[in-house]
Amino acid sequence: MTVSSAATESTTQPDIGRVAATIGDPTRIRMLLLLMEGRSLTAKELAYGAGVEPATASAHLRRLEADALITSLSSGRYKYFGLRSPAVAEMIESLMVVAPEKPADPRRSTVPENLRAARLCYDHLAGQLGTEVSSALLERGWLTLLDETHAAYDVTPDGERAFAAIGVDVNALQKSSRGRRRFAYGCMDWSERRPHLAGALGAAVAERCIALGWLARQKHSRALAVTEAGHDALRAWLAR
């Protein structure tokens, strides 16, 4: 390490205040909550959802993109916006856990009741369903805690076989996620106040449950519905 690089490292630090100011704006946090559904949205859709004019929305989107909270992709005449990474979704979900309650605004409800039952937290299962599945995985001994804070989980040999039964290759997933995102950990659920399985493994389980027809996405929402077949299939899988 050179002297100049060491000096640079010692004089820089994360600008938490900047990010806090960005997400502290009511319009911008509403936009981020809309993007928590996991779909990319246009500026017009975000403006409508946040209750502001398109010109105003554009200024807010520029700020969110400048602070690396969202990313954009142009496709033809449209520009689509989405959360930059799972870390942004984790931050928003964590804020929802610690934020004090306030009377719901019926015009801008950010926590619909159907989300409490079952939903996607960016790309993994959350809500009552997500926390119950996570508890079952731990109780069955398929996952083990690496520390008491649920900051990291490991998969046992029994767990590898159980996940393989629904099409999740744990070893391949660990290799592909290495250096890109955390593998498996407990994300505190804002509605249940208990952890649900997050990370690359959580995303893979959610993806397979949807692909197998056990869960169905609700249109224009991150809420999920357990299908008729899914009730029996999930129970049978977790009872292996």
Side-chain angles (χ1 to χ4, degrees), residues 64-154:
L64 289 167
E65 194 163 14
D67 285 357
L69 296 173
I70 66 172
T71 186
S72 62
L73 176 67
S74 295
S75 179
R77 51 194 288 258
Y78 295 103
K79 191 174 186 180
Y80 293 91
F81 296 88
L83 296 184
R84 187 174 183 87
S85 72
V88 178
E90 293 165 19
M91 176 184 65
I92 297 168
E93 193 85 0
S94 297
L95 287 173
M96 295 175 76
V97 174
V98 301
E101 298 288 339
K102 71 173 184 177
D105 183 340
R107 298 167 301 171
R108 294 173 179 166
S109 176
T110 57
V111 288
E113 282 300 318
N114 60 339
L115 294 182
R116 296 177 183 272
R119 66 181 184 276
L120 286 174
C121 171
Y122 190 62
D123 61 0
H124 51 269
L125 300 181
Q128 184 178 3
L129 175 67
T131 56
E132 287 180 353
V133 167
S134 296
S135 293
L137 295 176
L138 288 164
E139 289 170 5
R140 297 290 296 168
W142 297 349
L143 294 179
T144 57
L145 289 171
L146 294 184
D147 63 54
E148 293 304 314
T149 65
H150 291 260
Y153 297 148
D154 197 7

Side-chain angles (χ1 to χ4, degrees), residues 146-230:
L146 294 184
D147 63 54
E148 293 304 314
T149 65
H150 291 260
Y153 297 148
D154 197 7
V155 180
T156 65
D158 284 345
E160 288 187 26
R161 289 187 285 272
F163 287 120
I166 63 168
V168 176
D169 186 329
V170 171
N171 289 325
L173 190 64
Q174 285 176 319
K175 292 176 182 177
S176 64
S177 64
R178 191 169 296 141
R180 294 173 55 241
R181 69 182 299 188
R182 294 161 70 185
F183 172 65
Y185 65 97
C187 174
M188 185 59 70
D189 196 282
W190 62 263
S191 61
E192 298 300 304
R193 296 299 194 265
R194 294 187 295 154
H196 56 246
L197 175 62
L201 180 59
V205 170
E207 180 182 5
R208 289 302 299 157
C209 286
I210 293 172
L212 291 167
W214 297 356
L215 302 175
R217 287 175 177 264
Q218 295 186 20
K219 192 174 182 180
H220 303 310
S221 173
R222 58 193 173 106
L224 297 170
V226 183
T227 65
E228 186 174 347

Side-chain angles (χ1 to χ4, degrees), residues 40-53:
S40 295
L41 300 173
T42 65
K44 186 175 181 180
E45 289 171 325
L46 288 165
Y48 176 80
V52 297
E53 294 297 318

